Amino acid sequence: MDIPAKARAVIIGGGVVGCSIAYHLGKLGWTDVVLLERKQLTCGTTWHAAGLIAQLRATQNMTRLAKYSQELYFGLEEETGVATGFKRNGSITVALTDERMEELRRSAAMARAFGVEIDEIGPSDIQSRYPGLKVDDAVGGVWLPKDGQADPVNITQALAKGARNLGVKIIQGVKVTDIHQADGRATGVMTDQGPIEVDYVVNAGGMWAREIGAKAGVAVPLHACEHFYIVTEGIDGLTSNLPVLRVPDECAYYKEDAGKILLGAFEPNSKPWGMNGIPEDFEFDSLPEDFDHFEPILERAVERLPVLAEAGIQTFFNGPESFTPDDRYILGEAPELKNFFVAAGFNSVGIQSAGGAGMVLAEWMDSGNAPMDLWDVDIRRMQPFQANRSYLKSRVSETLGLLYADHFPYRQVETARGVRQSPIHDRLKDQGACFGEVSGWERANWFLPKAEQDAGKQAAYEYSWKRQNWFGYSADEHNSVRNNVGMFDLSSFGKIRVVGKDAEAVLQMLCGNDVAVPDGKIVYTQFLNEAGHIEADVTVTRLSSDEFLVVTPAATVRRDLHWINGHIPDGAHCFAMDVTVSEAVMAVMGPEARDFLQPLIPQSLANEDFAFGTAQPIEIGHGIARAHRVTYVGELGWELYVSTDMANHVFDTLMA
Ligand SMILES: Cc1cc2nc3c(=O)[nH]c(=O)nc-3n(C[C@H](O)[C@H](O)[C@H](O)COP(=O)(O)OP(=O)(O)OC[C@H]3O[C@@H](n4cnc5c(N)ncnc54)[C@H](O)[C@@H]3O)c2cc1C
């Protein structure tokens, strides 16, 4: 098929995700859509997926999307005539430790709240549902009757057929080689068969999506990892229609198919792949076996399901899949380029996620806004540095295994740490800080008291479902702030300067609250969209007649900047920029905050001179700063905004 000269949208990538987006755009009446696949549909990662289709995800919104995928795959055969092989054989997850059982119980409670059918079951019930499974060391498990499995290739073909029936063009053997843009928006693609002028580009390029994004100047932080499974030869007497089985404590999942067992693994210390790019001719390919890597999983599996010992291995499969720094996929309009949408990085759940992800992305493109809260997977949570390949290689070696690790509260990643640090990081460390990571920032979450440090104790998390090891330290910090005064580092706060003659008018349009206030006034407000829904939760400080500072959480600064920039009218004299790293922020809060700070600052901090909700320049030590009188501890407090070069000096002045 020839490529058209123009189209409303081009979708790059004919895996399950691209085909789902094509199908859902078609459903919305977008018929002038072209899906381009460089080789053949499913030839990237989709063709070799195991096909596990679960309903329960970590949050309510992600669960909603996974449930939608299931319902869609269930009905596609009737609509398209292509059988998806979807069957509801249920799933069992087995706990071998009390801690895992606690996690399963909590997920069961969550599942019920999300409307997912789930039962807690004991070892004998597990065995009756999965004959031959060794359960004498099992603590218990959960049974999800509506989970199932399907054939990933046929799901994709069914979606593609559905899309074609709705008028979408699917063209195979055409590679997108570049992205065209003008005035900050995507305007077309170049292919190996010529250009196509478009209004929208969708990057559904699977593990190629990072490189495709880079052509457009868009960060798509994902990296391929090797993912292993084996398929046995036929096993005599194997019960047919066995449920999907997960034994996360042994990093293993099992799927029965046509009298054989597929055994897959999510092991710690996984193997990143494709560091120097993915070979040009990659098509329905697999990677070399690595039996030494898989052997520990297989050994435990043979003990768990002894019938495996009698079965030969028909296939040893190793295929690449893309993983992201936080094990959540990447969806939405790129903050760097208007009308350039991304749907990639599916962390081994792309088949079960594609239906829902395709549906919401199509609606997002159609209406201009995300149709529901998609923050879990929103591309704007990603930081530009996260597309760094060395960072990704290090991080994804951990994230694959984290899928089946114990998901303890407060669990921190261990790889690729320390990338973004507050200017006072080392001083906080000297004080006994235990750091956690958000958006690449190292943040002091709690401090080990001096006496314990002197006794040789380390400031480190000891993960537990019960009372945390740092509970007492945190309680002491809390009581200090409640009854006396405390200081905390908030330097990772996102800071956006909005400047220009029209800055006030633009912010008045975006904010729910009135920000046409006198210089030095701080306004707590939300950005609201056309439907009145909350897009951001920020403070806006008027620094001068044509200069405002928007302060937002570290994780949302890109999203909020994107929202502001996307709403500055053409021709308006208004400019927004991320100035997060220009200032450190030290909060001094508690009922004694004034008595503590006043001797260090010549300006009066008295109520009548420094009212709540205002900001003033101050002198402190030998430096200068801007003090904002706000609080979120229910007590008196100031935030000190200090240019980063003076941060250590101000810290030392406060701590002297
Ligand atoms: C061993 C294994 C088991 C898995 N098991 C499961 C499972 O049980 N359940 C589950 O939900 N998920 C599973 N997955 C994950 C799932 O397979 C993936 O998440 C999913 O297939 C990703 O789909 P995709 O469309 O994003 O990527 P892909 O299928 O890789 O599609 C991307 C397509 O883009 C094309 N492309 C790239 N660059 C260009 C270009 N420049 N121009 C045109 N086309 C381009 C590629 O050729 C490719 O076909 C598994 C993965 C692996 C590796």
Side-chain angles (χ1 to χ4, degrees):
M1 195 188 293
D2 290 340
I3 60 165
K6 281 186 182 180
R8 189 170 177 196
V10 157
I11 300 165
I12 308 168
V16 67
V17 174
C19 289
S20 174
I21 297 164
Y23 171 83
H24 286 95
L25 282 174
K27 285 270 172 197
L28 291 172
W30 286 43
T31 49
D32 188 13
V33 172
V34 183
L35 182 149
L36 299 177
E37 164 54 50
R38 58 187 255 288
K39 301 281 186 189
Q40 297 176 60
L41 295 186
T42 77
C43 75
T45 296
T46 297
W47 71 278
H48 57 234
L52 275 46
I53 309 284
Q55 287 195 323
L56 182 61
R57 306 300 307 149
T59 64
Q60 185 160 21
N61 289 327
M62 291 302 106
T63 303
R64 253 173 84 184
L65 296 188
K67 281 176 82 176
Y68 168 81
S69 293
Q70 263 212 359
E71 281 149 26
L72 175 71
Y73 302 160
F74 202 60
L76 268 181
E77 180 172 357
E78 200 181 315
E79 182 184 333
T80 64
V82 182
T84 60
F86 180 70
K87 59 173 184 178
R88 278 213 167 102
N89 46 336
S91 81
I92 297 173
T93 302
V94 177
L96 301 180
T97 66
D98 291 338
E99 287 170 328
R100 180 72 67 176
M101 196 61 221
E102 178 66 27
E103 178 175 340
L104 293 185
R105 283 199 189 102
R106 290 179 186 220
S107 10
M110 202 170 73
R112 287 182 201 109
F114 299 168
V116 173
E117 254 182 74
I118 190 165
D119 287 318
E120 193 183 319
I121 54 177
S124 59
D125 203 356
I126 294 172
Q127 204 172 40
S128 66
R129 289 177 194 278
Y130 213 100
L133 191 75
K134 180 172 161 286
V135 293
D136 52 352
D137 56 347
V139 181
V142 287
W143 159 243
L144 288 106
K146 294 274 171 64
D147 276 3
Q149 61 192 60
D151 176 345
V153 171
N154 283 341
I155 289 176
T156 311
Q157 295 294 356
L159 288 165
K161 184 160 182 208
R164 282 192 196 99
N165 290 346
L166 293 161
V168 172
K169 287 190 193 67
I170 294 186
I171 309 179
Q172 303 181 67
V174 178
K175 181 180 173 186
V176 171
T177 54
D178 208 355
I179 312 295
H180 294 159
Q181 47 184 293
D183 301 327
R185 72 172 59 219
T187 55
V189 295
M190 176 54 83
T191 77
D192 52 8
Q193 295 182 23
I196 307 180
E197 206 180 298
V198 299
D199 295 330
Y200 293 85
V201 176
V202 183
N203 175 3
M207 61 188 165
W208 291 265
R210 190 188 71 236
E211 291 166 22
I212 296 170
K215 289 182 194 303
V218 170
V220 184
L222 58 80
H223 197 297
C225 264
E226 302 185 23
H227 181 32
F228 300 88
Y229 61 68
I230 57 151
V231 182
T232 66
E233 287 171 344
I235 299 177
D236 286 341
L238 193 71
T239 314
S240 67
N241 221 21
L242 281 171
V244 167
L245 172 71
R246 295 182 180 85
V247 188
D249 296 310
E250 294 176 340
C251 310
Y253 63 86
Y254 302 70
K255 178 185 111 166
E256 181 272 328
D257 206 355
K260 302 167 187 171
I261 291 283
L262 180 154
L263 165 69
F266 288 112
E267 72 286 6
N269 302 320
S270 62
K271 295 174 71 184
W273 179 78
M275 274 69 78
N276 300 318
I278 295 154
E280 183 63 29
D281 57 356
F282 193 95
E283 180 182 13
F284 296 115
D285 277 332
S286 59
L287 306 177
E289 297 176 8
D290 184 346
F291 192 72
D292 289 348
H293 190 75
F294 194 75
E295 196 177 13
I297 311 284
L298 184 59
E299 273 176 6
R300 275 177 286 172
V302 167
E303 281 181 33
R304 182 68 43 209
L305 189 62
V307 73
L308 288 178
E310 294 152 30
I313 297 178
Q314 183 192 65
T315 311
F316 189 117
F317 191 81
N318 176 11
E321 157 70 335
S322 23
F323 288 83
T324 62
D326 58 6
D327 266 337
R328 289 182 269 139
Y329 54 87
I330 301 172
L331 200 75
E333 187 179 28
E336 299 93 335
L337 187 61
K338 214 169 160 30
N339 291 4
F340 185 88
F341 283 77
V342 179
F346 278 84
N347 302 289
S348 233
V349 289
I351 309 302
Q352 67 185 39
S353 307
M359 183 255 296
V360 288
L361 194 83
E363 288 183 12
W364 196 335
M365 291 168 66
D366 191 50
S367 73
N369 286 321
M372 56 188 266
D373 178 5
L374 293 169
W375 180 241
D376 290 328
V377 290
D378 193 318
I379 188 171
R380 293 168 295 180
R381 78 189 185 282
M382 292 292 179
Q383 307 301 313
F385 88 87
Q386 290 178 302
N388 173 301
R389 279 169 285 182
S390 150
Y391 164 85
L392 282 169
K393 182 184 169 215
S394 171
R395 176 57 62 81
V396 299
S397 69
E398 180 182 9
T399 52
L400 180 145
L402 282 179
L403 291 173
Y404 275 17
D406 287 286
H407 302 110
F408 289 114
Y410 308 101
R411 184 170 184 140
Q412 300 293 324
V413 284
E414 290 172 6
T415 50
R417 291 288 299 268
V419 183
R420 305 176 83 192
Q421 297 184 352
S422 154
I424 57 172
H425 177 90
D426 290 350
R427 280 164 165 75
L428 298 175
K429 198 169 171 199
D430 290 345
Q431 295 285 330
C434 179
F435 293 93
E437 190 229 53
V438 172
S439 303
W441 282 101
E442 295 294 331
R443 307 201 303 190
N445 283 353
W446 51 271
F447 289 83
L448 188 69
K450 179 95 175 54
E452 306 234 15
Q453 292 174 48
D454 292 345
K457 221 170 162 183
Q458 296 296 315
Y461 283 100
E462 291 164 20
Y463 298 126
S464 165
W465 290 101
K466 299 189 175 144
R467 178 167 285 201
Q468 304 297 311
N469 66 312
W470 45 269
F471 186 89
Y473 315 141
S474 188
D476 289 346
E477 291 171 21
H478 171 90
N479 284 325
S480 296
V481 172
R482 169 164 282 223
N483 303 315
N484 193 346
V485 61
M487 199 259 273
F488 27 101
D489 178 28
L490 298 173
S491 300
S492 66
F493 261 170
K495 306 168 200 89
I496 301 170
R497 281 212 180 211
V498 185
V499 299
K501 287 198 292 285
D502 298 322
E504 179 188 294
V506 169
L507 287 171
Q508 280 293 73
M509 173 184 64
L510 295 177
C511 297
N513 211 337
D514 183 8
V515 295
V517 290
D519 294 358
K521 181 91 185 118
I522 302 168
V523 179
Y524 170 56
T525 185
Q526 285 77 37
F527 293 168
L528 302 178
N529 62 26
E530 290 80 354
H533 298 163
I534 293 174
E535 289 288 339
D537 186 50
V538 298
T539 59
V540 177
T541 302
R542 183 165 212 153
L543 299 174
S544 68
S545 60
D546 56 3
E547 189 174 17
F548 293 80
L549 180 71
V550 175
V551 176
T552 185
T556 49
V557 63
R558 290 193 89 207
R559 176 189 172 130
D560 298 349
L561 184 63
H562 178 242
W563 186 257
I564 298 170
N565 279 329
H567 290 85
I568 297 177
D570 286 345
H573 188 259
C574 178
F575 311 91
M577 66 215 95
D578 179 356
V579 295
T580 298
V581 296
S582 66
E583 289 184 317
V585 183
M586 285 165 251
V588 178
M589 294 186 177
E592 305 299 324
R594 183 180 286 116
D595 290 348
F596 172 78
L597 277 175
Q598 190 63 87
L600 308 174
I601 296 173
Q603 287 75 16
S604 167
L605 298 178
N607 239 345
E608 52 280 16
D609 299 319
F610 206 140
F612 179 77
T614 62
Q616 291 183 29
I618 56 161
E619 294 160 56
I620 179 162
H622 301 307
I624 53 171
R626 201 179 53 256
H628 290 216
R629 185 163 164 209
V630 287
T631 184
Y632 10 76
V633 302
E635 296 291 347
L636 187 64
W638 279 267
E639 290 170 350
L640 307 182
Y641 286 74
V642 188
S643 75
T644 47
D645 52 342
M646 287 182 269
N648 280 321
H649 171 70
V650 170
F651 179 86
D652 293 342
T653 305
L654 290 168
M655 297 298 284

